[in-house]
Amino acid sequence: MTDHKQDDVTGIETTGHSWDGIEELNTPLPRWWLWTLYLTIIWGIGYSVAYPAWPMISGATSGLLGWSTRANVAQDIDAHAQKNAQLVTDLLGTDMEALPQDADLNRYAIARGGAVFRANCSQCHGSGAAGAKGYPNLLDDDWLWGGAMADIEYTVRHGIRNEQDADARYSQMPAFGAILGKDDIAAVVEHVISLSSSDFDAALAETGAEVFADNCSACHGDAGQGDRSQGAPNIGDAIWLYGSDRQALTQTVTKARFGVMPPWGGRLEEADIRAVSAYVHSLGGGE
């Protein structure tokens, strides 16, 4: 048995433990601390009974009060939807081209569209919509299919070169590696570089101009200005989706490119499609 002794100096009983002749006092806990402990235990039990607390196999205890964070969030969403119900109705009933003329409605559409963009589009186009290699920059005025409000809405709704929407925008660049020889490809690449840069081989570019006229001008135009009706990019404006160096251009001509954008018509609400179209149009590149 542990031998409890009374400390001669303090008069407090010791725990009976001794380490190198040093004994520990058995000082009692303060009453306020004990009562605080008891109250927190009582409070914890009451909370567990009243509110959701203990995880179970397929859920958690619901609590006697039936309180739910999901229900609270749902109520907040419903309240927000009711508050903006008229704006949503107006957004659905307004012609997209006329939307900027209604300042309040346009402001709401852009704010809502920004949230939709960050949740669904920023993964490819970037949080600031500046794009990346293979993903268009939405801040400039270089559009493959048109930058008017209606054009943007159509692209958002149906997507590009996907297999889910029969109305998706679609264009196909041939892989000229199976059509042209390496010398012709090198020549046409040099010609393409000459359209937007002063650093090129003039003799090779002149040869490439003939190859371009015979194989590329039908889509890109005689001067390389592009054709939005078929999604053919302007290759004379020094704006490149996959890179402008000779290696990147050679790969583009040889193997072609085939970027895909999903259709959002079946994924987003109609109001969200219109809102995100307005947001993209407002970024600076809308026409």
Side-chain angles (χ1 to χ4, degrees), residues 30 55 62 67 106 108 149 160 183 239 254 261 278:
S62 59
W67 185 84
N106 192 50
Y108 167 74
M149 187 82 79
I160 298 173
D183 291 342
I239 298 176
T254 303
M261 174 181 169

Side-chain angles (χ1 to χ4, degrees), residues 172 174 215-221 225-228 230 232-233:
Q172 177 75 55
N215 297 274
C216 313
S217 60
C219 294
H220 293 284
Q225 72 273 16
D227 182 2
R228 290 180 174 181
Q230 53 183 323

Side-chain angles (χ1 to χ4, degrees), residues 44-60:
I45 294 173
Y47 184 94
S48 298
V49 172
Y51 292 94
W54 297 101
M56 308 295 283
I57 295 177
S58 59

Side-chain angles (χ1 to χ4, degrees), residues 146-266:
M149 187 82 79
D151 296 328
I152 296 173
E153 181 191 7
Y154 188 97
T155 300
V156 171
R157 186 182 303 278
H158 300 291
I160 298 173
R161 302 188 193 92
N162 60 72
E163 298 180 354
Q164 292 78 41
D165 193 318
D167 294 321
R169 297 192 184 277
Y170 202 95
S171 63
Q172 177 75 55
M173 175 179 172
F176 283 101
I179 302 173
L180 302 176
K182 291 184 178 180
D183 291 342
D184 285 341
I185 290 177
V188 77
V189 165
E190 203 67 23
H191 171 69
V192 169
I193 292 175
S194 73
L195 296 177
S196 59
S197 172
S198 59
D199 183 17
F200 63 92
D201 184 321
L204 188 58
E206 184 177 355
T207 301
E210 298 179 8
V211 179
F212 184 91
D214 293 339
N215 297 274
C216 313
S217 60
C219 294
H220 293 284
D222 294 336
Q225 72 273 16
D227 182 2
R228 290 180 174 181
S229 67
Q230 53 183 323
N234 181 349
I235 55 178
D237 59 6
I239 298 176
W240 299 93
L241 190 57
Y242 292 96
S244 60
D245 59 273
R246 285 175 176 81
Q247 182 179 357
L249 291 175
T250 298
Q251 183 177 2
T252 297
V253 174
T254 303
K255 298 183 178 180
R257 304 290 186 176
F258 197 80
V260 176
M261 174 181 169
W264 293 100

Side-chain angles (χ1 to χ4, degrees), residues 9-180:
V9 177
T10 62
I12 299 176
E13 189 180 59
T14 67
T15 61
H17 303 148
S18 177
W19 294 271
D20 295 331
I22 300 175
E23 296 183 336
E24 181 182 2
L25 297 179
N26 188 19
T27 306
L29 293 170
R31 288 302 182 97
W32 67 265
W33 192 96
L34 287 173
W35 280 113
T36 302
L37 174 63
Y38 298 150
L39 288 174
T40 56
I41 292 173
I42 295 172
W43 179 87
I45 294 173
Y47 184 94
S48 298
V49 172
Y51 292 94
W54 297 101
M56 308 295 283
I57 295 177
S58 59
T61 55
S62 59
L64 295 179
L65 297 181
W67 185 84
S68 169
T69 54
R70 289 181 181 273
N72 286 357
V73 172
Q75 291 176 1
D76 291 342
I77 293 175
D78 290 341
H80 180 78
Q82 293 176 9
K83 181 179 179 180
N84 294 311
Q86 187 58 51
L87 286 170
V88 173
T89 300
D90 293 342
L91 178 60
L92 294 175
T94 299
D95 182 83
M96 290 298 293
E97 297 297 341
L99 181 61
Q101 300 173 15
D102 188 329
D104 290 338
L105 183 59
N106 192 50
R107 190 181 306 111
Y108 167 74
I110 292 173
R112 177 170 180 158
V116 175
F117 183 91
R118 288 185 288 273
N120 299 278
C121 314
S122 61
Q123 294 84 347
C124 293
H125 293 284
S127 59
K133 185 176 181 179
Y135 301 98
N137 180 353
L138 304 178
L139 304 177
D140 59 24
D141 197 23
D142 192 69
W143 297 91
L144 288 174
W145 302 94
M149 187 82 79
D151 296 328
I152 296 173
E153 181 191 7
Y154 188 97
T155 300
V156 171
R157 186 182 303 278
H158 300 291
I160 298 173
R161 302 188 193 92
N162 60 72
E163 298 180 354
Q164 292 78 41
D165 193 318
D167 294 321
R169 297 192 184 277
Y170 202 95
S171 63
Q172 177 75 55
M173 175 179 172
F176 283 101
I179 302 173
L180 302 176

